[in-house]
Amino acid sequence: MSFHADENMAALLRSARLLKFSPSGLLQITGTKRNGPPLGRLYSGAIGGRRIGVSPRQIAPGLENASRSVWPYAAGGMRGYAVATEQRDEASLGVRSKQAQQFDWALAKLDSSVRRTGRITKTLLLRIFHDICRTGYPSGNQALLLLRSCGSLLPEMPLAERTELAHRIWEKLGELGALYDASHYNALLKVYLQNEFKFSPTEFLAKMEAANVQPNRVTYQRLIAAYCQDGDIEGASTILGFMKSKDLPITEAVFNSLVTGHARTGDIESAKNILTVMRGAGIEPGPDTYVSLLNAYAEKGDLDNIKKTMEAVESADCSLMDRDIMQVIFSLARAGHQQHVPEMTERMRHERGYVPDAMNLCLSLVTQGLEDTSFNILKTFPTLQAESLSSDTPNLGNFFLRHCVNMDTPVEKIAGYCKELQDSNLHTSPLLFTLSCALEAKKTGMSFELMKILKEQNLPIRPHYFWPLLTQHLKDHNTAGVLEVVKGMQELGVYPDVETFSNYILPVFSSMDAARQALKEAGLSLESEGFLSSEVRTLAATNLAELYTMLSDPSFPAVDLNVFRGSLIVGLRKSTDVESMVKVTDLLYKDERFSRGLSKPAETVSFLLYNLIDNMTEAEVQAQEDKLRKYFNQLKTQNIIISGNIYRGIRNLLDSYHVPELIKDVLTLVDPQDKLANNSVPAAPRVTGIEGKLEVLEKRLTELKAEKKPLSTTLKQALLALCAEENLVRALELKQQHEEDMTAGGYATLINLCCRHDNVEEALNLKTELSRKDSSVALDASKYIALVKALAKNGRVEEAVDMLKEMKEKEVPMNDASTTMLFHALNAAAARGDAPTIRRLQDTIFTLGLAKPTANLCSPLITAHLDSKDLPGALEAAMECQKRYGHLPRVHDIIVGLVEKGDTELLQKAMDFVSQERGEMTMLYDLFFAFMQTGRYREARKIIETPGLRARPGRLQWYAEKCIAGHQVEALEQMVDMTAKLFECDRDEMYSYILRLCKETNNWQKADALWTKMQEENIIPRERTLRMLADILKSNGQEVPFEVPEVWYEQAATAERAQSTKPASTPPVTAPSGTDYQARLLALCKRGKAKEAYGMLKDADKKGVALGPAPYDHLIRALLADGSMEDAMVVRDIAASHIPGFQLSDIATSLLIITQSKKGQAKDGLATLKTMLQADHVPSQLSITRLIQALGNRGDVAGIQEVESLMKGLGTSLNLSSMVFVNNTALAHIKNGDLESAVEVLEAVYTGPDKTGASMSFVFRKILEEDNDKALDKLSAMAERLANHFACYRPASDLFLQLLEMDKVQDAKFMLARCNAVAEQRDVLVSYLSRLAQRPGQVGKIKTLVDLIPDFTEKEILYPYLMKCYNLDKDLTSAKALYEQMQKEGVVIDELSLKRLAVLYRDAGETVPFPEPPESFKFYADKLKERVAKTQTTAE
């Protein structure tokens, strides 16, 4: 649609209404039938969907007048055009990464809240809003997320506050540079409709024009809804006429709005007639339309017509859900017809999801001041009520009581609700819960009234109830407020305890004397235990001399040290009066008044001394070393002693604080009778490895035989080498030559090779020979299963069963890989259609307990029946599996077959069985997918719209992946369409499935239409969904109608290409005002045009135009990312001249540190960091890492130490590894030529406790890159020394792998020869293998590693990584060869590798020669991770 047409649209609305509404004339539109083409009808009517969200069903009379203040930033703050470009400035790379993570977190939090409760809280939304603002640089998707959350998802907020919050978000994000497109305006329109905010549609369109944003179909639909909400049919008809002239489809949502519009004008007959008009236009009225009509009758209080309409719904084969009826209830209550509500509540079926929907209805009613109606709805909660009655502590209505408190409902009314809940046994303590809510909300008056009611009911009132009320007064230093609460406590007969005095009352006063005076005037007794204890606490923390005077008075009552221990420790740490410290300690040591219970005073003081040191920081102990020494020496003169255990604890603390000199002073306090023990450290063993080639091994065998030496080990290695080459004949000859030296391992290897070659007789002969040599020897599981598979293949089933029995007798261990091999053995029989053999083997396996029954192991029997078209047999076998083993294998394929065959009797039997065994919901999904698979969409829709059915994401994903893999476009579209109103269905996920298919089929038209549908359904898309849609459109040369969220690693080259494809017709934008300058500057920065933005800023500065802080900061970031540090500093100076006190944001300052570090200005970077920390700003992790590396490159050891000290005092973790400091300190020493110090720094790490896992690869990489042979020799020697003397192999492993990484293979060999224990560092080597498999072109390095260390890991681990590499390299030939090799060697190929290989086949246009695993890559990856985790847990 041209923008010129939109200007005409706005002009039409501004002029007098020229068009009169004529439904029959306007709505003769083709292609809008409900049962028309799939994409054309996809989500028709979604705007009125029954999901938690906006719906025209919620339309009610507006509450507010239109306000022009909604649009203060509309002209300058909106995007200049709707085309999203690819280019982004590098300044935003770190921000983009954090932004993407933040959006995922925010969306997950909101999504979780909506799924659990059907709503979100204001607190959560504001938290996410503030986090996004603090990050700076909000994305369009984040803005969309926030805006769409400001409507009906906030039932606890009044409508006006919701709209005010939406405006605040719009304005703030606009200031921060968010670019708004049509989706944002549509979201704002939806919020207006949900919040019944009155505004001018004409002005709304005009503002969109001013921002150069084109309205789309969704915009017009919502403007129609806005007119109809106000009963302005004439305005709605104007837009309808315009939509018809532009051939825009008139959807069910528009008709629903018209029903409401006519009803609001008082013309209920015309509203009713809209349904006839719809049918005439080829659209069958759906549930949303009927709900709109029901709401119209509800507003009139017309119960008779409500009943008639509901009967019409039932006769129209259309069902209303509970939440639909709830909307009618809300309309009745809002219109003052509460007397009809009970009749409507009786019609609700209490489906799944009833409770969260009903809770939101109750909250909305309370927000509207209709608490009584809300309470009546609350009492209809059957599920909660049942749970409450059967549980120990029923608590029905917590949410209701909390909201009543927040909305300041009169206490008398709340008390009545509480009484009724308690009398009905629906809540054990509703009044106490309500009090906790009032206290939490700081509602002092309400809290005291509720406490009075509690007291009247003889319920106890505790001092801690008042803490929330005192907390705020304490923060505000409000003495009068504290005293007011204290007086209230007295009136209720509650006296403050020690915690209340110490933490909430006394701290508000300037001194103890002032506190005494004020509390005395308030009528409080100053002789109570609580006050005296709190006074002791205060003096213990502030004045030890006065404390001693008070405690030493014999008339002072006994007080346990535990009451004031913490305060005393604070006082001891702060005090410089050693004499008073000793006096107080001596008093506590000798006076039993301060040690209650079983503890002796001496023990109590011992623990006090330990706690004192434990609570001090390292810096404190070092600074107060002299004070502590005097303290300990004077304690010795007072004959105070401590136990050996306490001494050891203090000694360890002082050691860790690097103050060993104090230890001898503490030692003098130890009881002489205590003896101290010493510890010893055991040494670590070493293991070595072996390697060799086939020719060498055969030669070695000859030599060993001639020398009459044992050759069993070498013989086994030779056999393994021959098996790898699949040379059965030569292997058997070798076995014949050296039969007397054959071991069990050699026989097992040969048996496996014979089975692979289908030589069953030879395999059995070898096994017989092995048994003759040693009957107790058992093969491993893989060899037994290979024998079973070969025997079954050759019809020798009973012998195969005997093998299984032998496995049981000899207790052969089984693992997941063995179970998978059993499946393949059974599946081989299924391919031959040999059902009896499968059944015999299955029964034996499960009866003997060799493997637990699983759906996978049960499925081959069903496969055999299905392949032979025996559906009854397949069903019977599946039912038998369920009864015997609790599994229903391949039930989907059975049901699909029955549906295709039309065998209703068997189908009914299958469904009854599934329902009985697995539940009705499972049965419904099975039937739904079977109808979908066979193209019976009408029947499928009826199934999925069953009331009470809820989404099962795993099953929906399974079918979606199946559709994507098979390019079943229609089936996938139908499923997404049908699940629009499915409870808890993740709509973004559903749309992403279609978009993936659009991407595979390169269908941009369909993808573009989906974007409109997503807006109609008011979906908040995830960033990955938007990126996918943008990729589809851009790859086809289409404009992207939204801001594209980008990941941090996207290359600048992509951005430049996107810029080069920008339409030449984009009109230039002038900058006549500060607002326009600001908008253009932000847009240019976001598009990576830092230099152009810099020129514009200088032009604005010459003209004296001042901007806000955001554009200056954004431009500084963009310039720093381009390396233009000088220009960035000029911008900073310009900003400071216009904005007093201007400071760079955290992101900009971090970028400045990075830029200074890259330019070699490490000292300047360090100075910038110090300034940043002084301003309480937090640097990014990357900026600190780059600064440390720059200091290391300069050899600035002191600078690195200073940064480390600054980070320790930061107070927040940046997730910096300690090795960042260690490695760069070592490099700094190397830079300075001080190799000894470098070695000393590194050795300290690897010889210290719990540090042997740290990596120094970075150091080795740097010295190898710089060809620093001297440093390499020194560090190599260190690595070997650590390995040989300390059994610490990590440095040697790091060097070995770094040599491999840099293709220094010979050096790596020498390293391995000198330190062969590296070959046993399996975890490190496998981790390196895993990293290699993440990047293309790494197969050579993996093969080199395997050549050097052939046995560093199992083939079951190595081969999947190789397959992953071939997949990355698109190397089908090598992948095929690997697959064949795995089959020959009997290595079980995992499903993830099979999936990767299948994709390679498909991409090459070849037929996949094996059944492709049906699930997604993620599914199999997660499965593999779980298996590895279980293996590790078992090993541990």
Side-chain angles (χ1 to χ4, degrees):
M1 183 192 304
S2 69
F3 197 77
H4 180 67
D6 294 318
E7 291 175 349
N8 290 342
M9 177 71 236
L12 269 174
L13 291 175
R14 281 191 289 268
S15 66
R17 303 296 203 285
L18 300 177
L19 295 174
K20 298 296 179 184
F21 178 56
S22 173
S24 58
L26 284 173
L27 301 175
Q28 298 301 319
I29 299 169
T30 59
T32 57
K33 291 183 181 179
R34 196 176 184 85
N35 298 319
L39 194 63
R41 69 174 186 278
L42 197 60
Y43 300 108
S44 62
I47 190 171
R50 284 175 284 173
R51 299 178 68 243
I52 307 294
V54 201
S55 169
R57 305 181 201 175
Q58 297 167 332
I59 291 172
L63 299 176
E64 306 176 45
N65 294 323
S67 170
R68 291 177 180 271
S69 65
V70 179
W71 300 98
Y73 294 92
M78 311 307 167
R79 65 185 299 172
Y81 49 90
V83 182
T85 61
E86 180 79 15
Q87 194 168 4
R88 289 291 184 274
D89 56 288
E90 289 184 19
S92 65
L93 295 184
V95 186
R96 290 278 169 189
S97 174
K98 185 176 179 183
Q99 192 182 75
Q101 294 169 6
Q102 185 187 57
F103 178 77
D104 288 342
W105 171 84
L107 184 59
K109 290 287 286 183
L110 293 177
D111 185 58
S112 171
S113 180
V114 171
R115 283 174 182 275
R116 284 186 300 104
T117 65
R119 62 184 180 279
I120 57 178
T121 63
K122 179 183 177 182
T123 305
L124 175 61
L125 184 60
L126 286 177
R127 179 185 170 193
I128 292 169
F129 174 46
H130 291 147
D131 282 349
I132 290 171
C133 291
R134 192 161 48 245
T135 303
Y137 235 158
S139 69
N141 218 29
Q142 288 173 334
L144 204 58
L145 174 71
L146 292 173
L147 287 171
R148 287 180 176 173
S149 301
C150 293
S152 59
L153 289 175
L154 294 169
E156 295 167 278
M157 282 181 71
L159 303 181
E161 286 184 26
R162 291 188 209 163
T163 309
E164 185 181 340
L165 178 59
H167 291 162
R168 179 178 159 202
I169 289 171
W170 182 279
E171 293 166 10
K172 183 63 179 177
L173 298 187
E175 286 177 18
L176 292 174
L179 302 182
Y180 294 136
D181 56 39
S183 63
H184 297 90
Y185 285 92
N186 292 341
L188 190 61
L189 274 176
K190 197 71 167 174
V191 168
Y192 284 173
L193 290 170
Q194 289 178 325
N195 297 344
E196 299 172 10
F197 176 71
K198 287 196 174 182
F199 67 100
S200 166
T202 308
E203 288 187 17
F204 193 94
L205 269 181
K207 297 300 180 183
M208 289 185 73
E209 289 177 27
N212 207 16
V213 177
Q214 298 183 35
N216 59 20
R217 187 183 77 200
V218 178
T219 313
Y220 297 131
Q221 286 179 181
R222 290 181 183 171
L223 288 174
I224 288 172
Y227 276 122
C228 290
Q229 196 174 56
D230 292 337
D232 187 350
I233 289 296
E234 190 176 356
S237 67
T238 306
I239 298 182
L240 272 171
F242 184 79
M243 290 180 73
K244 185 173 188 291
S245 69
K246 294 299 171 186
D247 291 329
L248 294 174
I250 309 301
T251 63
E252 184 183 356
V254 174
F255 288 107
N256 298 343
S257 298
L258 293 174
V259 170
T260 302
H262 280 294
R264 292 280 167 89
T265 62
D267 187 359
I268 200 74
E269 279 304 313
S270 294
K272 186 178 177 181
N273 289 336
I274 290 293
L275 276 67
T276 307
V277 176
M278 288 177 72
R279 294 187 182 97
I283 299 177
E284 190 62 32
D288 298 335
T289 309
Y290 284 109
V291 171
S292 297
L293 185 58
L294 286 168
N295 280 330
Y297 287 131
E299 289 173 7
K300 304 292 181 185
D302 189 347
L303 185 62
D304 291 338
N305 273 314
I306 289 175
K307 291 178 180 177
K308 289 177 183 176
T309 304
M310 295 188 88
E311 290 169 5
V313 172
E314 292 171 7
S315 62
D317 195 19
C318 185
S319 61
L320 293 180
M321 300 173 76
D322 282 348
R323 68 182 72 171
D324 298 325
I325 298 172
M326 288 178 196
Q327 290 190 36
V328 180
I329 291 172
F330 186 72
S331 298
L332 282 167
R334 284 280 303 276
H337 305 296
Q338 291 92 337
Q339 71 274 16
H340 299 317
V341 169
E343 188 156 348
M344 298 307 296
T345 56
E346 290 174 6
R347 291 179 174 267
M348 290 194 281
R349 293 186 290 258
H350 304 293
E351 307 156 346
R352 285 182 180 272
Y354 169 80
V355 172
D357 287 339
M359 287 172 72
N360 292 327
L361 172 62
C362 290
L363 291 170
S364 298
L365 289 168
V366 173
T367 303
Q368 297 292 327
L370 302 166
E371 300 90 358
D372 291 339
T373 306
S374 177
F375 188 67
N376 289 331
I377 299 294
L378 175 67
K379 291 186 290 184
T380 68
F381 282 32
T383 307
L384 278 182
Q385 187 170 330
E387 290 174 357
S388 299
L389 291 173
S390 62
S391 66
D392 295 329
T393 55
N395 58 357
L396 175 66
N398 281 352
F399 76 96
F400 170 79
L401 295 171
R402 183 186 298 278
H403 195 39
C404 284
V405 168
N406 292 335
M407 297 305 296
D408 292 317
T409 303
V411 174
E412 299 77 17
K413 189 176 274 193
I414 296 177
Y417 298 144
C418 291
K419 185 177 186 306
E420 191 169 343
L421 286 172
Q422 194 158 10
D423 291 346
S424 305
N425 290 325
L426 299 176
H427 201 301
T428 50
S429 52
L431 208 55
L432 273 174
F433 177 78
T434 307
L435 174 59
S436 70
C437 295
L439 291 168
E440 187 182 331
K442 310 290 190 297
K443 295 184 181 289
T444 306
M446 181 181 285
S447 299
F448 279 120
E449 287 186 55
L450 288 168
M451 287 188 206
K452 287 175 184 175
I453 297 172
L454 281 171
K455 190 175 181 183
E456 289 168 6
Q457 296 180 6
N458 296 319
L459 292 171
I461 302 172
R462 315 290 185 193
H464 68 264
Y465 290 2
F466 299 86
W467 292 357
L469 302 178
L470 290 165
T471 301
Q472 192 59 47
H473 296 314
L474 187 60
K475 284 181 182 176
D476 299 339
H477 304 289
N478 182 0
T479 309
V482 169
L483 290 173
E484 183 187 347
V485 175
V486 170
K487 288 175 184 175
M489 292 177 73
Q490 286 181 294
E491 290 174 11
L492 291 165
V494 181
Y495 197 85
D497 58 9
V498 61
E499 299 296 334
T500 309
F501 270 121
S502 301
N503 299 328
Y504 300 98
I505 297 176
L506 295 182
V508 82
F509 297 101
S510 57
S511 66
M512 276 302 300
D513 290 338
R516 282 174 170 275
Q517 182 66 32
L519 293 173
K520 190 173 182 181
E521 291 174 1
L524 255 75
S525 169
L526 302 183
E527 303 302 321
S528 68
E529 182 182 350
F531 180 78
L532 288 175
S533 297
S534 61
E535 191 174 15
V536 169
R537 280 188 180 184
T538 304
L539 291 174
T542 56
N543 193 328
L544 292 178
E546 196 173 329
L547 174 69
Y548 176 72
T549 304
M550 177 187 284
L551 295 182
S552 59
D553 185 345
S555 64
F556 191 81
V559 180
D560 189 359
L561 175 59
N562 289 328
V563 172
F564 62 98
R565 182 200 302 273
S567 301
L568 181 57
I569 288 171
V570 171
L572 292 170
R573 287 167 60 187
K574 291 185 339 187
S575 177
T576 56
D577 184 359
V578 177
E579 185 178 346
S580 296
M581 291 169 62
V582 174
K583 283 182 179 180
V584 171
T585 310
D586 184 48
L587 178 65
L588 296 173
Y589 185 80
K590 295 172 180 174
D591 197 329
E592 293 190 356
R593 286 181 299 161
F594 310 108
S595 179
R596 293 181 184 171
L598 300 175
S599 298
K600 296 178 181 179
E603 292 176 4
T604 306
V605 169
S606 293
F607 281 109
L608 174 67
L609 294 177
Y610 173 79
N611 290 331
L612 170 62
I613 303 300
D614 190 33
N615 278 276
M616 296 178 77
T617 64
E618 180 179 340
E620 268 187 293
V621 173
Q622 290 173 355
Q624 299 183 31
E625 185 177 348
D626 290 338
K627 183 187 90 170
L628 290 170
R629 182 174 289 109
K630 288 178 186 176
Y631 177 53
F632 291 140
N633 289 337
Q634 290 189 35
L635 290 179
K636 174 64 178 173
T637 63
Q638 297 295 324
N639 296 319
I640 291 174
I641 61 173
I642 61 176
S643 68
N645 281 335
I646 293 293
Y647 162 72
R648 279 189 285 275
I650 296 175
R651 180 196 64 190
N652 293 339
L653 289 171
L654 293 174
D655 263 338
S656 67
Y657 292 160
H658 308 295
V659 193
E661 296 81 4
L662 269 179
I663 294 175
K664 63 180 183 296
D665 298 297
V666 181
L667 183 59
T668 61
L669 301 175
V670 179
D671 187 344
Q673 295 180 354
D674 257 329
K675 294 183 179 180
L676 306 178
N678 295 319
N679 298 319
S680 59
V681 182
R686 281 184 56 212
V687 194
T688 57
I690 192 170
E691 63 174 323
K693 298 290 183 183
L694 180 60
E695 297 81 4
V696 177
L697 288 170
E698 290 185 338
K699 184 179 178 183
R700 181 67 180 148
L701 277 172
T702 308
E703 292 172 357
L704 289 171
K705 191 166 186 178
E707 296 171 4
K708 296 185 178 180
K709 292 182 178 179
L711 47 80
S712 55
T713 303
T714 309
L715 176 60
K716 182 184 175 184
Q717 290 176 336
L719 288 172
L720 284 170
L722 288 166
C723 288
E725 294 183 0
E726 295 297 319
N727 193 339
L728 176 60
V729 176
R730 179 73 187 102
L732 290 173
E733 288 175 0
L734 195 64
K735 172 253 172 192
Q736 199 69 31
Q737 293 170 14
H738 305 286
E739 191 163 346
E740 66 278 4
D741 295 298
M742 283 289 290
T743 62
Y747 275 110
T749 303
L750 282 177
I751 289 169
N752 204 34
L753 185 61
C754 289
C755 290
R756 291 207 298 273
H757 285 256
D758 203 22
N759 192 339
V760 179
E761 287 298 336
E762 191 61 50
L764 289 174
N765 291 337
L766 288 166
K767 188 177 182 309
T768 304
E769 285 181 30
L770 175 60
S771 299
R772 198 182 305 124
K773 279 194 170 189
D774 187 351
S775 59
S776 65
V777 172
L779 301 173
D780 64 34
S782 63
K783 310 301 185 299
Y784 272 115
I785 296 169
L787 270 169
V788 170
K789 184 177 179 181
L791 288 166
K793 182 179 178 182
N794 287 276
R796 301 166 73 162
V797 180
E798 290 308 314
E799 289 176 272
V801 169
D802 290 339
M803 287 298 162
L804 293 171
K805 289 178 179 177
E806 185 177 323
M807 289 177 71
K808 179 65 177 176
E809 287 168 8
K810 294 190 174 182
E811 298 181 347
V812 177
M814 297 280 289
N815 55 27
D816 287 346
S818 311
T819 306
T820 306
M821 286 189 71
L822 280 175
F823 165 73
H824 288 302
L826 295 172
N827 222 28
R832 301 190 299 272
D834 193 352
T837 297
I838 298 170
R839 190 183 296 275
R840 181 82 174 93
L841 292 175
Q842 267 184 358
D843 289 346
T844 305
I845 290 166
F846 297 150
T847 303
L848 294 173
L850 293 174
K852 290 182 179 179
T854 63
N856 215 28
L857 284 177
C858 292
S859 65
L861 180 59
I862 315 303
T863 302
H865 286 292
L866 288 174
D867 289 350
S868 59
K869 308 297 181 187
D870 180 12
L871 287 173
L875 179 59
E876 287 300 327
M879 290 166 66
E880 185 183 354
C881 285
Q882 173 62 34
K883 289 172 183 174
R884 293 181 64 184
Y885 310 122
H887 294 286
L888 259 178
R890 298 201 63 179
V891 67
H892 171 74
D893 300 308
I894 296 171
I895 297 171
V896 166
L898 293 173
V899 170
E900 286 177 338
K901 191 177 178 182
D903 192 335
T904 53
E905 186 177 339
L906 264 185
L907 181 61
Q908 186 63 52
K909 180 181 178 181
M911 290 299 93
D912 290 344
F913 183 78
V914 173
S915 181
Q916 179 185 341
E917 296 290 330
R918 295 294 183 85
E920 187 181 359
M921 188 177 291
T922 301
M923 179 271 289
L924 289 170
Y925 268 102
D926 286 338
L927 194 56
F928 170 67
F929 289 132
F931 283 141
M932 293 295 297
Q933 187 74 20
T934 54
R936 290 165 171 79
Y937 301 129
R938 185 186 179 100
E939 291 85 348
R941 182 181 290 276
K942 288 180 180 178
I943 296 295
I944 206 65
E945 289 181 352
T946 301
L949 193 65
R950 67 168 65 213
R952 283 194 170 175
R955 300 214 62 184
L956 293 171
Q957 181 189 6
W958 167 78
Y959 188 73
E961 296 287 355
K962 190 179 179 72
C963 291
I964 293 168
H967 286 192
Q968 298 170 15
V969 180
E970 185 183 10
L972 184 56
E973 286 177 352
Q974 287 286 352
M975 183 178 76
V976 176
D977 182 16
M978 293 173 194
T979 54
K981 297 170 187 177
L982 183 61
F983 183 65
E984 287 190 335
C985 183
D986 186 337
R987 302 305 297 152
D988 170 77
E989 190 73 17
M990 300 304 292
Y991 274 105
S992 72
Y993 295 139
I994 306 187
L995 285 172
R996 279 173 55 192
L997 195 50
C998 290
K999 192 169 185 177
E1000 286 193 16
T1001 57
N1002 200 32
N1003 190 339
W1004 70 265
Q1005 294 93 340
K1006 189 165 291 186
D1008 191 38
L1010 284 173
W1011 172 239
T1012 304
K1013 298 292 182 185
M1014 291 173 77
Q1015 291 180 71
E1016 283 185 346
E1017 204 173 327
N1018 214 41
I1019 288 169
I1020 301 169
R1022 293 181 177 88
E1023 293 202 351
R1024 61 102 199 263
T1025 307
L1026 289 175
R1027 280 197 292 271
M1028 197 189 316
L1029 177 55
D1031 287 345
I1032 296 168
L1033 295 174
K1034 280 187 283 192
S1035 63
N1036 286 277
Q1038 302 300 311
E1039 294 180 352
V1040 180
F1042 49 81
E1043 182 193 6
V1044 183
E1046 294 182 8
V1047 288
W1048 64 271
Y1049 48 78
E1050 285 183 311
Q1051 300 295 321
T1054 311
E1056 289 169 11
R1057 286 197 297 274
Q1059 184 188 356
S1060 66
T1061 60
K1062 188 179 76 171
S1065 60
T1066 303
V1069 183
T1070 57
S1073 68
T1075 307
D1076 289 338
Y1077 269 118
Q1078 179 166 315
R1080 285 209 61 206
L1081 263 176
L1082 290 170
L1084 287 170
C1085 289
K1086 280 203 161 192
R1087 296 202 303 276
K1089 299 183 177 181
K1091 289 294 183 184
E1092 189 177 335
Y1094 178 57
M1096 180 186 292
L1097 178 70
K1098 290 207 292 188
D1099 179 57
D1101 189 48
K1102 285 177 185 175
K1103 295 178 180 178
V1105 177
L1107 307 175
Y1112 290 121
D1113 194 71
H1114 280 63
L1115 180 53
I1116 289 168
R1117 295 185 215 171
L1119 289 168
L1120 286 172
D1122 281 348
S1124 305
M1125 191 168 67
E1126 295 77 12
D1127 292 343
M1129 296 303 97
V1130 171
V1131 175
R1132 183 185 64 180
D1133 295 339
I1134 293 172
S1137 67
H1138 290 294
I1139 304 171
F1142 174 80
Q1143 285 187 333
L1144 296 182
S1145 66
D1146 288 8
I1147 300 164
T1149 312
S1150 294
L1151 281 166
L1152 178 58
I1153 293 171
I1154 292 169
T1155 309
Q1156 288 170 329
S1157 301
K1158 283 183 177 178
K1159 288 179 176 286
Q1161 301 173 10
K1163 282 197 172 181
D1164 293 340
L1166 182 54
T1168 304
L1169 174 63
K1170 289 179 184 176
T1171 307
M1172 184 182 194
L1173 295 176
Q1174 286 169 3
D1176 288 332
H1177 288 190
V1178 181
S1180 68
Q1181 183 196 52
L1182 181 63
S1183 65
I1184 299 300
T1185 304
R1186 292 288 177 266
L1187 176 57
I1188 295 167
Q1189 290 171 347
L1191 291 166
N1193 289 337
R1194 292 183 74 253
D1196 190 348
V1197 177
I1200 295 172
Q1201 290 171 345
E1202 188 173 1
V1203 174
E1204 186 172 14
S1205 176
L1206 290 170
M1207 289 302 100
K1208 283 180 180 176
L1210 185 59
T1212 182
S1213 171
L1214 295 180
N1215 293 323
L1216 280 168
S1217 166
S1218 60
M1219 289 306 291
V1220 172
F1221 298 102
V1222 173
N1223 287 336
N1224 284 285
T1225 301
L1227 286 171
H1229 284 307
I1230 293 169
K1231 184 77 175 178
N1232 298 331
D1234 187 359
L1235 295 177
E1236 293 299 331
S1237 295
V1239 170
E1240 187 179 333
V1241 167
L1242 291 166
E1243 275 193 335
V1245 172
Y1246 291 107
T1247 55
D1250 304 324
K1251 292 289 180 73
T1252 52
S1255 171
M1256 57 175 289
S1257 287
F1258 180 71
V1259 179
F1260 284 127
R1261 178 163 65 84
K1262 283 290 184 182
I1263 61 176
L1264 283 168
E1265 287 174 350
E1266 294 170 5
D1267 289 328
N1268 190 339
D1269 293 336
K1270 190 175 178 183
L1272 183 60
D1273 291 342
K1274 196 77 174 176
L1275 293 183
S1276 298
M1278 179 200 76
E1280 291 174 36
R1281 185 167 61 254
L1282 287 169
N1284 296 328
H1285 296 293
F1286 294 91
C1288 175
Y1289 306 114
R1290 187 57 193 260
S1293 303
D1294 287 340
L1295 176 56
F1296 170 71
L1297 294 176
Q1298 204 57 54
L1299 290 168
L1300 275 186
E1301 186 67 21
M1302 303 188 77
D1303 295 324
K1304 295 179 182 287
V1305 180
Q1306 287 304 317
D1307 292 339
K1309 280 184 181 177
F1310 291 138
M1311 180 68 202
L1312 194 59
R1314 291 196 305 274
C1315 188
N1316 51 24
V1318 168
E1320 277 112 40
Q1321 305 312 302
R1322 183 179 183 277
D1323 289 346
V1324 177
L1325 296 173
V1326 172
S1327 176
Y1328 175 67
L1329 176 65
S1330 173
R1331 291 198 303 275
L1332 287 177
Q1334 304 295 326
R1335 315 191 304 265
Q1338 303 300 312
V1339 174
K1341 288 178 183 173
I1342 294 177
K1343 289 186 174 178
T1344 302
L1345 177 61
V1346 174
D1347 288 341
L1348 292 175
I1349 312 175
D1351 54 351
F1352 79 90
T1353 188
E1354 295 84 1
K1355 291 178 180 178
E1356 286 81 4
I1357 293 175
L1358 171 64
Y1359 288 161
Y1361 281 122
L1362 271 175
M1363 185 65 78
K1364 185 177 181 181
C1365 288
Y1366 292 142
N1367 184 262
L1368 287 172
D1369 296 341
K1370 307 294 182 189
D1371 186 354
L1372 177 59
T1373 305
S1374 298
K1376 283 181 182 177
L1378 176 62
Y1379 178 58
E1380 291 169 5
Q1381 184 180 349
M1382 292 174 78
Q1383 286 183 309
K1384 287 178 182 176
E1385 294 178 6
V1387 176
V1388 179
I1389 181 164
D1390 61 279
E1391 292 157 316
L1392 186 59
S1393 297
L1394 275 177
K1395 186 80 175 175
R1396 286 181 172 133
L1397 181 56
V1399 169
L1400 282 176
Y1401 270 108
R1402 276 211 317 276
D1403 290 348
E1406 296 186 25
T1407 305
V1408 182
F1410 50 80
E1412 180 181 349
E1415 306 290 350
S1416 66
F1417 279 104
K1418 183 178 184 303
F1419 175 85
Y1420 294 118
D1422 291 344
K1423 187 176 176 182
L1424 205 56
K1425 285 176 189 172
E1426 285 177 18
R1427 186 185 302 164
V1428 171
K1430 283 180 185 175
T1431 306
Q1432 289 173 345
T1433 305
T1434 306
E1436 289 166 4

